[in-house]
Amino acid sequence: MEAKVKKQRHVICMVSDFFYPNVGGVEEHIFQLSQCLLGRGHKVIVLTHVYGDRRGVRHMTNGLKVYYLPIQPFYSQSVLPTFITSIPLLRNIFVRERVTIIHGHSAFSTMAHEAMNLARAMGLKSVFTDHSLFGFADMSAIVTNNFLAISLADVNHCICVSYVGKENTVLRANVDQEKVSVIPNALDTQVFMPDPDQRPKDKINVIVMSRLQYRKGVDLQPEIIRRICSRYPQVNFIIGGDGPKRSILEEVRDEVGSDRLELLGAVPHANVHGVLVKGHIFLNTSLTEAFCIAICEAVCSGLQVVSTNVGGIPEVLPSRLILLAHPNVDSLTQILDVAIQREISGRRIDPWAMHREMRNLYTWPDVARRTEVVYDKVRGEESSADIYQRIPRYKKCGLLAGWFMMFLVTLQFLLLKICDRIWPVEDIDIAPDYPEGNAEWSYGEIDLNSRRHTNSTLVNGAPRISKLGQIRPTARRRIR
Amino acid sequence: MTEWSRVLWKKQPYPDNYVGDSFLRVSKKRREVTYGQAFYSATAVTQEICSCLILVAVFCGLSEGHMKAAGVLTFTAVLGVTGYFITRSQLRSSARDDIKLVCFYVALISCASPVVKSLTGSVATDTINACTTALLLLRIVHQDYGALVAIVNPTVSHNLGVFASVCLASRLGSDRDVFALMTLAVALFALFPGFRKYCRTKLGTTLDLFFTIVVVTVTAAGLWLYAAHLMPLLAFALVTCNGIIPALFVALQRHKQNIYGPWDEAQIEDK
């Protein structure tokens, strides 16, 4: 047990519509972050919606408990945000798991917003991580920004993945600048290692790996491929990924021949490394990107990177590891030319040197450590869930949205009172923490006697549970 | 302490929510519009409204017998020839082609006049009035005033104008009246917008304002003489379109905020 600083143990509930078995950036982020936080000794559970037959409680690696709640997805993998009908279910989960912090992911996930709102109503703390960038110009962006502003009006802290993301969140959701932290994404550096034997010695392969849609800049690629293929007979292109714009790449393939341009279709994330090591250069033509983990994976695997300088990409890598271009065909072709020349003349950085440099830059334990700093800060905050203090926070949302939210918050308060009557807190069974062994300490360190309130869920901090005393003796055993 | 730099790959001794100097590099673009500019641009709409009202005034004059068809035809011819000589340099086709086109039009409309005259015999007058009002309003809405927006559709605008004039002309007494009104409609709806665009772009603002004043005076005179019940409408239209709405636009422009920043999707230029 550490004598110097008494580390706080948090019980974190990650909430998002996007989780396994869906595969993507947000899902990977939640899983890896949860694993690292479990390793640091906190308790983590994940809430998400039902995926096909997959409903109920599942346990993943290291005892990560995942609740697949029986709420149907409504539009684009997100549930219908009612704010009212999910109160009893979520309240039950928060009480039985003794959650202290709710961490919502992705602005598109309505379940995350609902859970964070309910958490504040119950007196728990909420943290939000935003993974994407948004414009301000068109109608859909205006509506989404308003909803985000409503949701973030009563959130303890926000996390963004880049400085551009922080600016974007601050501007569009009207959040205080001090309430937003920048914690970048990370990648698994053990998986992405260079393998120079996989690359052909006589040819140069350029890899492109992205979903084939407009915002990834697929419209720029055909012209670049044509120009480079005609100029350098030894350069081939390998494009992985699928999407609505696949047909324009198939047209180019018919022009230059399938030996010059290979279309792999959708590549599962486990096979991405296998494709990357076959290449010498990685090309990224995105038109907008908050962080772009793909270029980091490429650098980690020892490829030279040519990318557009949009969004957060200039902040991600130092200039010796990446070549930046403007998002048009001429600039990208010219920079790709430079990269190919470096490859031909051999004046490029050694792949293992790139990997060694990358290994310390973006790692999941570092992200977890910085997130823990946010949790500690949030835990110590004095933000009350008392209804009289909660309602004025929505005043800054404007006339229509603000008053609507005040009404909704009052309704939530009343419903919570009703739930306390029908399903009192002392009747809710407390779920045992599993596994106890991975935690660095036993339950003895939690301050149990701090709150002696009435049996209501509306208290500051964790709800007071009377049954905890019964579990204490068994939990002292440490299994390592 | 070292300088804070806006990069993610350096381990900096600042907390994660530190706010540096280079934060919030946004550009806020807003076009500043003065009242004079808005007023001047709104004169295009005024001219269009006046041309519609001239048509209605001439219709009232013809149907009540105050005006003669010959008079209307001479008026249209004079206007047409003057406009043609003013815009000579702009036109790409030769004089012979233009004369052929005019002859073709005259022949077509005179053949169509008897047909148009008996077109709406069974339709009530109220319907005709309501239909014409709606069509002329829609025409004003879809007209091309120089802005590149989705609602602008010169073809639709022209067709609506012709439809409105057919509605009106079918109520007239004799074939010659119908012919006169249809010719005037073609001159006002097909040729006048082109003339107006030429004035705006080539002749300068003072001449354009002069033309506007001429048009408004002619409309007012026509309405006063032949359709006095529409004078309040003209006054209301002038005050609203050219006075109140530009002022409202300038006042609201202050609240417009277009925020652009590095998060916006890059635009691919089409070569």
Side-chain angles (χ1 to χ4, degrees):
Chain A
M1 297 214 197
E2 293 128 333
K4 313 160 232 179
V5 177
K6 188 169 174 184
K7 233 163 79 162
Q8 283 177 315
R9 180 176 182 267
H10 305 288
V11 180
I12 303 148
C13 175
M14 303 277 188
V15 188
S16 179
D17 277 300
F18 311 112
F19 195 64
Y20 184 84
N22 225 13
V23 183
V26 178
E27 296 83 343
E28 171 99 9
H29 181 106
I30 299 174
F31 182 74
Q32 298 280 11
L33 183 60
S34 309
Q35 291 298 321
C36 288
L37 285 170
L38 280 171
R40 291 186 77 90
H42 305 287
K43 174 180 168 183
V44 183
I45 64 170
V46 179
L47 296 188
T48 183
H49 65 75
V50 34
Y51 278 94
D53 277 343
R54 203 178 176 96
R55 64 177 69 204
V57 179
R58 298 279 191 278
H59 291 273
M60 295 181 89
T61 325
N62 280 332
L64 179 64
K65 193 170 185 180
V66 185
Y67 280 87
Y68 287 94
L69 296 176
I71 309 176
Q72 283 293 344
F74 166 67
Y75 170 73
S76 171
Q77 297 271 351
S78 304
V79 305
L80 182 65
T82 54
F83 281 98
I84 302 294
T85 55
S86 49
I87 287 183
L89 182 59
L90 288 174
R91 170 184 171 271
N92 192 305
I93 295 177
F94 293 157
V95 170
R96 73 194 298 262
E97 300 283 351
R98 289 173 294 147
V99 176
T100 55
I101 296 178
I102 278 82
H103 191 154
H105 290 266
S106 179
F108 296 105
S109 165
T110 44
M111 186 187 273
H113 293 300
E114 269 194 54
M116 289 193 297
N117 212 321
L118 179 64
R120 295 299 293 139
M122 286 173 66
L124 310 172
K125 304 288 193 284
S126 66
V127 177
F128 177 68
T129 298
D130 197 359
H131 297 261
S132 50
L133 292 179
F134 245 107
F136 292 87
D138 55 337
M139 202 57 215
S140 70
I142 294 174
V143 171
T144 318
N145 292 346
N146 263 317
F147 281 130
L148 192 71
I150 293 173
S151 178
L152 294 187
D154 197 12
V155 147
N156 290 101
H157 210 88
C158 281
I159 299 174
C160 291
V161 293
S162 63
Y163 290 110
V164 172
K166 178 173 174 175
E167 282 176 1
N168 194 238
T169 306
V170 164
L171 276 176
R172 76 186 213 243
N174 229 342
V175 185
D176 284 332
Q177 293 173 4
E178 279 79 31
K179 270 173 106 172
V180 184
S181 290
V182 176
I183 301 177
N185 257 337
L187 70 154
D188 194 347
T189 50
Q190 299 298 320
V191 170
F192 290 95
M193 291 209 181
D195 198 355
D197 300 327
Q198 295 274 351
R199 311 178 189 180
K201 298 283 184 293
D202 50 342
K203 300 241 177 273
I204 296 180
N205 281 342
V206 177
I207 313 265
V208 181
M209 185 80 70
S210 70
R211 272 202 310 279
L212 302 179
Q213 57 187 79
Y214 174 74
R215 70 199 315 252
K216 300 291 183 186
V218 182
D219 293 293
L220 296 170
Q221 289 169 11
E223 188 55 36
I224 299 174
I225 296 174
R226 283 189 202 113
R227 288 189 194 181
I228 297 288
C229 279
S230 61
R231 211 180 294 175
Y232 294 100
Q234 74 269 50
V235 172
N236 292 339
F237 282 82
I238 301 177
I239 300 186
D242 206 353
K245 292 259 177 187
R246 190 179 169 141
S247 50
I248 59 177
L249 289 174
E250 284 175 351
E251 276 174 29
V252 185
R253 181 178 61 183
D254 295 333
E255 266 182 52
V256 298
S258 61
D259 54 332
R260 302 299 299 278
L261 169 59
E262 198 182 331
L263 291 177
L264 297 174
V267 178
H269 195 243
N271 302 347
V272 165
H273 175 246
V275 175
L276 281 178
V277 287
K278 285 194 206 155
H280 302 82
I281 303 173
F282 186 81
L283 176 65
N284 176 44
T285 53
S286 295
L287 299 179
T288 177
E289 199 74 68
F291 184 80
C292 199
I293 201 71
I295 54 179
C296 297
E297 290 172 352
V299 170
C300 211
S301 306
L303 284 82
Q304 282 194 71
V305 173
V306 172
S307 171
T308 46
N309 60 350
V310 295
I313 294 178
E315 303 167 13
V316 174
L317 290 170
S319 53
R320 59 183 177 278
L321 289 179
I322 187 174
L323 291 165
L324 289 173
H326 292 292
N328 56 50
V329 174
D330 291 329
S331 180
L332 277 166
T333 321
Q334 182 199 354
I335 301 289
L336 193 51
D337 214 74
V338 170
I340 296 175
Q341 289 296 337
R342 279 195 195 171
E343 202 64 46
I344 293 176
S345 65
R347 278 187 305 110
R348 54 156 295 170
I349 308 181
D350 179 44
W352 283 103
M354 287 174 108
H355 175 84
R356 274 195 296 276
E357 198 167 336
M358 195 63 212
R359 200 155 55 184
N360 299 321
L361 280 186
Y362 300 115
T363 57
W364 287 114
D366 188 46
V367 171
R369 180 190 59 81
R370 288 158 87 164
T371 314
E372 195 185 87
V373 169
V374 169
Y375 292 153
D376 290 337
K377 185 195 314 224
V378 155
R379 181 75 168 271
E381 258 181 36
E382 262 309 307
S383 49
S384 157
D386 195 15
I387 189 101
Y388 294 112
Q389 301 224 358
R390 228 184 141 208
I391 287 186
R393 289 185 202 138
Y394 288 100
K395 263 203 199 128
K396 64 173 183 173
C397 296
L399 259 175
L400 193 61
W403 282 92
F404 173 70
M405 278 315 288
M406 289 183 202
F407 164 71
L408 201 64
V409 159
T410 321
L411 200 56
Q412 262 184 343
F413 173 80
L414 287 170
L415 278 174
L416 277 175
K417 284 282 189 206
I418 295 174
C419 285
D420 281 340
R421 276 300 156 107
I422 306 178
W423 301 290
V425 173
E426 67 267 14
D427 285 348
I428 297 180
D429 287 329
I430 302 303
D433 285 353
Y434 165 77
E436 316 100 40
N438 257 347
E440 300 204 36
W441 46 62
S442 61
Y443 297 140
E445 283 185 40
I446 296 182
D447 199 2
L448 296 167
N449 301 316
S450 58
R451 307 260 183 274
R452 290 234 171 240
H453 280 232
T454 53
N455 285 320
S456 160
T457 43
L458 298 174
V459 293
N460 286 350
R464 201 195 83 74
I465 317 299
S466 56
K467 282 194 180 171
L468 193 56
Q470 299 169 8
I471 315 180
R472 272 182 75 171
T474 49
R476 285 279 160 99
R477 240 184 316 122
R478 280 213 201 178
I479 310 165
R480 248 289 165 200
Chain B
M1 287 249 260
T2 50
E3 271 286 308
W4 177 81
S5 55
R6 203 190 145 97
V7 288
L8 295 167
W9 44 270
K10 261 197 220 168
K11 297 267 186 290
Q12 306 192 66
Y14 292 92
D16 282 327
N17 59 348
Y18 178 77
V19 180
D21 293 327
S22 55
F23 188 66
L24 275 187
R25 309 167 307 184
V26 297
S27 59
K28 293 193 183 168
K29 279 190 228 168
R30 182 170 68 210
R31 245 186 35 173
E32 294 298 333
V33 181
T34 62
Y35 184 69
Q37 282 174 316
F39 184 87
Y40 174 65
S41 305
T43 54
V45 185
T46 311
Q47 285 188 11
E48 196 54 46
I49 296 176
C50 288
S51 69
C52 294
L53 285 173
I54 286 178
L55 182 77
V56 176
V58 169
F59 166 73
C60 290
L62 276 177
S63 69
E64 270 155 45
H66 299 299
M67 249 196 258
K68 290 286 186 300
V72 174
L73 280 171
T74 15
F75 173 66
T76 316
V78 163
L79 279 185
V81 169
T82 330
Y84 181 72
F85 276 117
I86 292 179
T87 60
R88 262 316 276 287
S89 53
Q90 173 77 343
L91 298 168
R92 270 166 285 161
S93 50
S94 66
R96 280 190 59 178
D97 287 334
D98 289 333
I99 294 178
K100 275 203 288 195
L101 195 66
V102 168
C103 293
F104 174 69
Y105 255 118
V106 166
L108 184 68
I109 296 180
S110 53
C111 289
S113 299
V115 178
V116 169
K117 189 162 95 78
S118 57
L119 204 55
T120 57
S122 57
V123 183
T125 315
D126 287 342
T127 317
I128 293 284
N129 288 350
C131 206
T132 314
T133 319
L135 288 168
L136 287 177
L137 267 175
L138 275 178
R139 181 205 146 67
I140 296 174
V141 163
H142 287 290
Q143 178 67 281
D144 178 17
Y145 299 114
L148 287 165
V149 285
I151 203 174
V152 166
N153 201 336
T155 324
V156 167
S157 172
H158 174 258
N159 288 346
L160 286 169
V162 169
F163 191 5
S165 60
V166 162
C167 277
L168 280 181
S170 60
R171 281 298 188 203
L172 288 173
S174 73
D175 286 346
R176 213 185 283 173
D177 288 343
V178 172
F179 176 70
L181 193 67
M182 292 290 297
T183 321
L184 178 67
V186 166
L188 277 178
F189 294 152
L191 301 176
F192 188 49
F195 177 75
R196 187 177 62 233
K197 203 175 290 199
Y198 177 81
C199 263
R200 296 213 139 204
T201 49
K202 293 280 174 26
L203 292 185
T205 50
T206 33
L207 264 175
D208 192 43
L209 279 173
F210 170 69
F211 273 125
T212 314
I213 296 176
V214 163
V215 166
V216 170
T217 326
V218 166
T219 315
L223 282 180
W224 176 256
L225 288 173
Y226 304 117
H229 54 278
L230 289 178
M231 282 293 283
L233 183 65
L234 174 69
F236 172 72
L238 279 182
V239 166
T240 325
C241 277
N242 239 356
I244 299 182
I245 294 198
L248 202 61
F249 178 72
V250 171
L252 290 178
Q253 184 78 346
R254 264 189 312 113
H255 295 284
K256 185 174 181 181
Q257 264 200 64
N258 273 346
I259 308 179
Y260 299 103
W263 50 76
D264 282 316
E265 239 174 52
Q267 300 291 329
I268 305 180
E269 311 105 30
D270 291 320
K271 292 273 167 70

